[in-house]
Amino acid sequence: SAAEHNRCMSDPALTPPPSVPSVPPVEERLARLRRMKHLALLALVLCAGLLALAHQQGRSGLWGWVAAFAEAAVVGALADWFAVVALFRRPLGLPFPHTAILPRRKPQLADQFAVFMRDRFLDTPTLLARLDALDPLARLGEWLAREDNARRLATHLQGLGGVLLGCIDDARVRGLLQGAVTQRLERLDLSHAAGDLLDTLTAQGRHQQLFEQALLQLAEQVDSEPVQRTLASVLLEIAGQEYPLVLRTIGLVADTDEFGRRLASATARGLTRWVHEVCEDPQHPRRLAFDRSVAELVERLRQDPDFASRINAAKDRWLHEPVLQDYVRGLWDELRAWLLADLASPQSRLQEQMLLAAQRLGRALGNDAVLRAALQAHLRTVVEQSAPALRDLAATHIARTVRGWHDEQLVQEIELAIGRDLQFIRLNGTLVGGLIGLVLHALGG
């Protein structure tokens, strides 16, 4: 609904995010981190120098305030340095308890981070709400409605098609595909499948309609003059071979060619009359006999093991026939060559067809709200059904990836991400510690 859509769009968790800023190169981030470390170390050294100078001046008068500031600042700086270093490694390499926290607790952190991502970002309601808020089909329609976008997509698909054809043509891939198809066809029970197909085709008397159409086409062909001439020649040839005396006798009183034409015409008329009788009578014996033959064939295909064995054996011989395999390979090679040539051409017909299809899809998605709503519903169903498995798979992948990092890699990635802020904590600790030292000196004075 409109209210739900507005709620989704007003929810900060559901509004489209801004573009993710680019991350500087590792070398640049390392240089920034080193500068902050040097700055924090310089502040510590300066405070230590001030403390030494105050001691040298006897910590009297103004130097007492300087000493109080510097002393507390050094303590604060060292404490924060210890806390920051303890996150990533053992300070000074010494085995202090509860140090090197990130490397030591990497497995637990990996699992907890994976669960956090799964439950807070990949749960099904959040994904569905995000899907509804984004309205991807409308956006796709708007994007494809622009010809430059549709052409860009068609060009990308054109290049991808060439890559896929190249992969399929690899001898190993082709052998794998051919083997998989052959194995699938070998497991196919062709006899039972043919029986099911025939049973479907004969449902509600559809086979009788086909039978009737075939008979009418036969009658039409027999009734044509070219077929009758051919039939007359065949009849005369058969009569000359089987009944030569009868044919010579007829030749004494009539023209044999004319006799053949009349015989062919009479045969055609008789066949046409018989065809119309069969077509006009639903209970004609020929129709009933055809019904019985089809039913018997379906029954044999489904129930006769010997018949099924012969059919499947013939299928297997056909599958492994070298001539057939060579023929199929030849057809594929010709088709692949044509596809590659077309995809490589600047005037590719396939690309133009893909462009037209993309534009039609864009217009349909943009103009047909009913189609868009139906596709959106199907998309929501797919997401809803696949999200639980995908979120568990994503969590497992995240946990395994983090667990697989080397300790140095984990420390470096996190330190580069938050290390500068941690060095600011050291600077703040130095300053805050110094200020607290001044307060305590004032209270003690």
Side-chain angles (χ1 to χ4, degrees), residues 218-240 256-272:
L218 174 63
E220 182 179 348
Q221 291 297 320
V222 170
D223 202 34
S224 65
E225 185 177 347
V227 173
Q228 288 193 18
R229 285 199 302 268
T230 303
L231 181 60
S233 300
V234 171
L235 290 174
L236 288 176
E237 183 178 354
I238 293 174
T256 54
D257 292 336
E258 180 65 21
F259 172 76
R261 285 192 293 273
R262 290 183 178 181
L263 182 60
S265 178
T267 303
R269 288 194 301 273
L271 180 59
T272 301

Side-chain angles (χ1 to χ4, degrees), residues 176-193 308 312-313 315-316 319-320:
L176 179 64
L177 292 175
Q178 183 176 353
V181 172
T182 302
Q183 290 177 5
R184 190 65 180 265
L185 290 175
E186 286 175 345
R187 290 195 295 267
L188 173 66
D189 187 348
L190 183 59
S191 176
H192 196 277
N312 288 318
K315 175 205 65 178
D316 292 339
L319 285 176
H320 296 283

Side-chain angles (χ1 to χ4, degrees), residues 130-162:
R130 169 62 65 185
L131 183 66
D132 293 337
L134 290 178
D135 197 4
L137 294 173
R139 295 190 178 198
L140 177 62
E142 294 174 3
W143 190 82
L144 289 177
R146 296 179 54 184
E147 184 177 353
D148 55 340
N149 290 333
R151 188 170 295 279
R152 189 180 303 116
L153 175 62
T155 302
H156 178 72
L157 292 177
Q158 179 185 8
L160 182 62

